[in-house]
Amino acid sequence: MSTEILPIATPRETRKAMWRLLAQRPGRLTLTILVLLAASCCGLAAPAILGIMVNIAASGGDVMALLWLAIGLLVAGGLGALLGILGQNLLARICEEALAGLREEVFAAAVRKPLAQLEKAGIGDVVARVSGDVEAVSEAISGVLPAFTSAAFTIAVTLLGLGVIDWRFAVAVLIAAPLQVFTLRWFLRRTAPIYRTVRITEANRTEQIIETVHGSASVLALGLGARHADLVAAASRENIGHALKGVNYLTRFYNRLNLAELIGLSAVLVVGFWLHAEGAVTIGAATAAALYFYRLFDPIGLVLGQFDELQKAAAGLGRMFGLTISAAPAPAPTRAPVTDAGIVLDNVTFAYPGQRPALRGVSLTVKPGERVAIVGTSGAGKTTLAKVIMGLEHPGSGTAWVGGLDSAAAPPEDLHERIAMVSQEVHVFSGTLAEDLLLAKPDASAEELTRALQEVGAAWVQTLDDGLQTSVGAGGHQLTPEQAQQLALARLMLKDPPIAVLDEATAEAGTGSATMLDQAAEAALAGRTSVVIAHRLSQAASADIVVVMDHGGIVESGSHQELLANGGRYATLWEAWNSSLSRS
């Protein structure tokens, strides 16, 4: 399993990025803050009114005054509750809208990442960031952040109220603060790395599950079900183990908070008794002060306790922002015009991490409009060569010029304008057949779509009940491998790049379909500079130049007839190919 992960934003970068998202709605954010502040002030009225009622009752005052105060208490409580609900809903909506935009940015950033980096990190890391991480943040936004913000306002306003009664009450409350601050710092310092690890191990578990499901046919055929179940279980145990460490710290955290509350309440009661005995405050004021502190139990516990959920959300946000920050788009460069449709590889060397070189000093020139076939045994470096030409992998040394651009340094948009690739593994996107084709040319008309399908010999489209509006992909009409390849070649024709690469694009075809797909490929490549990674040597025979690779290097090159006449490696491969055809 991959140990490399995609970038993760630092806490400082996460805070700045989150504020930047929220600041895009300044008016609504200001309104939300004012509503939450008003709700906290309404809550502050309750202990004050109760203190006045105690004073009136202790002095044998007017019953009607107590009744009006009780009504005021109900009004303040009801208004505070309504404003609190409104403020929390406003804040949740702002944050959910920001999260929806962030989720789209994360997905777009992942798509812009180099394929090699995504492959090294594993698809599980990307899936976890746009699913599990988003879920953790969404839970915090909908259930934690509004309550957390409201509680923070309540704490601030209540401390102000205690200071108004007598500054010594505020000092008494602060006696508990050092233990609370120490407890919070102790908790954050120990759990922040744990929650980051939990998010990473969850991505590893997702990666293992995806690999097992995608390779289910091979797993079952080789009897590896138990082994893969053990791998998934091991990844789950690792994730759960780290999560349980966080739970252990959380339990100890709450125990210390309860102790701090006991110390604080005792201090307020002692100060109240002393001040009343000195005649500095009335019994009602002392009662109000005790109620104020008691009223702080829930918000302080919420603020401190919800740091646990906020840390989980922060870990998720860090992983999400890590993608968007690292993939921040640079200012749009001036598009370089397509003035060349050739390919020039100059002494290109490439090696995958920890492996022997896959390409060794490869030099190759493909003239505009020329078709070159790359042949060789499995592992010879053919697919790696195609990736370097496409800019999906960058040479360790040497340069690859494609359409007049350095494939390793050119902006992806410019490179993709010049070259397109059809690989052996074709993905059929979910949606209608027309929508799948329009991915290559969004403004294409129905006539253009039909013409592209006809040119690649996709006559089967006429048998579909809904034609171009037939649903394909997951949950839709299932295309055969041959039909999927025709669809991919039709997309290539619609995109109409000057250079095309076919990486064993027709290798999956059976004997009966081989000629049909070869004809489809001929139509798709007509008039283009093309590099064909040939699985069947019949494709090489029709190429202008045939290049034979072995162990990452070019061992032969020339026309089909020239290589046969030389009697070298290609001639041997051709003889073996014809022998296999005659036996079949």
Side-chain angles (χ1 to χ4, degrees):
M1 184 179 300
S2 172
T3 57
E4 297 190 33
I5 59 175
L6 295 169
I8 298 177
T10 64
R12 182 181 179 185
E13 290 173 334
T14 300
R15 288 192 297 269
K16 289 176 63 178
M18 190 63 197
W19 175 249
R20 189 166 57 249
L21 274 180
L22 295 177
Q24 294 175 359
R25 302 161 178 83
R28 291 168 58 188
L29 187 60
T30 302
L31 174 63
T32 301
I33 292 173
L34 292 175
V35 170
L36 289 173
L37 185 59
S40 299
C41 290
C42 288
L44 184 66
I49 293 174
L50 286 171
I52 296 172
M53 293 175 71
V54 169
N55 283 336
I56 292 175
S59 62
D62 187 4
V63 175
M64 287 302 298
L66 290 174
L67 179 60
W68 283 111
L69 286 170
I71 293 174
L73 185 65
L74 291 175
V75 171
L79 183 59
L82 289 175
L83 290 174
I85 292 172
L86 176 60
Q88 292 185 23
N89 285 339
L90 286 172
L91 183 59
R93 176 166 295 187
I94 291 174
C95 294
E96 285 289 357
E97 289 177 359
L99 179 62
L102 175 58
R103 188 172 193 167
E104 293 178 2
E105 288 181 20
V106 170
F107 184 78
V111 172
R112 292 196 301 267
K113 284 286 181 186
L115 179 61
Q117 188 176 5
L118 293 179
E119 288 178 343
K120 291 172 184 175
I123 191 174
D125 193 22
V126 178
V127 171
R129 294 190 190 219
V130 295
S131 58
D133 291 336
V134 171
E135 183 180 354
V137 176
S138 180
E139 289 177 357
I141 286 176
S142 60
V144 177
L145 187 59
F148 182 93
T149 306
S150 180
F153 277 115
T154 299
I155 293 171
V157 172
T158 302
L159 288 175
L160 178 63
L162 281 168
V164 170
I165 296 173
D166 193 291
W167 64 270
R168 285 163 287 195
F169 281 120
V171 173
V173 169
L174 294 177
I175 290 177
L179 179 57
Q180 292 169 331
V181 171
F182 172 79
T183 299
L184 182 60
R185 292 186 63 185
W186 169 86
F187 179 70
L188 294 179
R189 189 166 55 249
R190 284 163 175 76
T191 55
I194 290 176
Y195 289 132
R196 284 195 295 268
T197 304
V198 166
R199 304 310 310 166
I200 292 172
T201 54
E202 184 172 330
N204 291 339
R205 179 180 62 185
T206 303
E207 174 73 15
Q208 187 61 61
I209 292 172
I210 291 174
E211 285 183 355
T212 301
V213 172
H214 281 187
S216 57
S218 299
V219 170
L220 293 175
L222 298 174
L224 299 177
R227 170 175 169 74
H228 277 261
D230 289 342
L231 290 173
V232 172
S236 298
R237 284 194 298 269
E238 182 183 13
N239 178 252
I240 293 171
H242 289 290
L244 288 177
K245 289 181 183 178
V247 172
N248 177 51
Y249 281 117
L250 183 62
T251 303
R252 295 162 63 184
F253 174 67
Y254 277 116
N255 289 338
R256 297 187 183 191
L257 288 186
N258 291 335
L259 177 61
E261 289 176 351
L262 175 61
I263 292 173
L265 182 58
S266 300
V268 170
L269 291 174
V270 169
V271 170
F273 177 80
W274 171 60
L275 291 176
H276 178 64
E278 293 290 326
V281 297
T282 64
I283 186 68
T287 301
L291 289 174
Y292 274 136
F293 185 75
Y294 181 77
R295 185 172 175 268
L296 287 177
F297 278 16
D298 286 343
I300 287 178
L302 178 65
V303 167
L304 298 179
Q306 294 298 350
F307 266 99
D308 178 60
E309 294 299 324
L310 290 178
Q311 276 203 119
K312 295 177 183 177
L317 277 174
R319 287 164 52 78
M320 294 167 70
F321 282 125
L323 272 179
T324 60
I325 292 173
S326 65
T334 304
R335 281 290 176 84
V338 181
T339 58
D340 184 11
I343 301 171
V344 178
L345 304 182
D346 183 14
N347 199 29
V348 169
T349 300
F350 176 83
Y352 294 101
Q355 300 182 28
R356 62 178 178 80
L359 296 178
R360 304 170 184 267
V362 174
S363 294
L364 175 66
T365 299
V366 184
K367 298 176 182 178
E370 193 172 49
R371 184 177 306 175
V372 172
I374 311 294
V375 301
T377 58
S378 179
K382 304 186 299 297
T383 295
T384 301
L385 180 64
K387 289 183 176 180
V388 169
I389 293 173
M390 287 295 302
L392 301 177
E393 299 286 5
H394 297 165
S397 63
T399 53
W401 295 90
V402 178
L405 298 177
D406 183 347
S407 66
E413 295 79 7
D414 282 355
L415 195 60
H416 296 163
E417 187 178 350
R418 289 161 168 74
I419 188 168
M421 181 178 184
V422 178
S423 66
Q424 181 177 349
E425 298 177 0
V426 174
H427 183 76
V428 179
F429 294 90
S430 296
T432 65
L433 185 60
E435 290 171 341
D436 200 303
L437 290 167
L438 288 171
L439 292 172
K441 187 178 181 181
D443 59 348
S445 64
E447 291 73 18
E448 289 179 282
L449 303 184
T450 301
R451 189 183 314 116
L453 289 168
Q454 289 174 344
E455 290 185 12
V456 297
W460 47 270
V461 176
Q462 301 174 5
T463 66
L464 301 176
D465 293 337
D466 296 322
L468 289 173
Q469 299 307 313
T470 301
S471 294
V472 295
H477 178 77
Q478 296 300 305
L479 302 183
T480 65
E482 292 80 7
Q483 292 172 343
Q485 288 290 356
Q486 288 177 313
L487 178 61
L489 291 170
R491 287 199 294 245
L492 175 65
M493 296 192 71
L494 288 167
K495 182 175 175 61
D496 196 25
I499 306 172
V501 176
L502 266 60
D503 183 9
E504 298 188 349
T506 61
E508 294 294 325
T511 304
S513 304
T515 302
M516 175 189 68
L517 283 184
D518 281 347
Q519 293 173 348
E522 286 286 337
L525 297 179
R528 308 181 203 283
T529 306
S530 55
V531 175
V532 179
I533 309 300
H535 176 75
R536 293 189 306 277
L537 292 191
S538 58
Q539 298 171 304
S542 61
D544 299 310
I545 300 293
V546 179
V547 172
V548 183
M549 294 190 67
D550 187 42
H551 291 92
I554 295 177
V555 294
E556 284 185 318
S557 66
S559 69
H560 170 71
Q561 294 298 335
E562 289 172 347
L563 294 182
L564 288 182
N566 289 341
R569 182 72 59 86
Y570 180 75
T572 302
L573 291 173
W574 181 260
E575 183 179 352
W577 164 259
N578 284 321
S579 298
S580 65
L581 290 180
S582 61
R583 287 196 299 271
S584 60

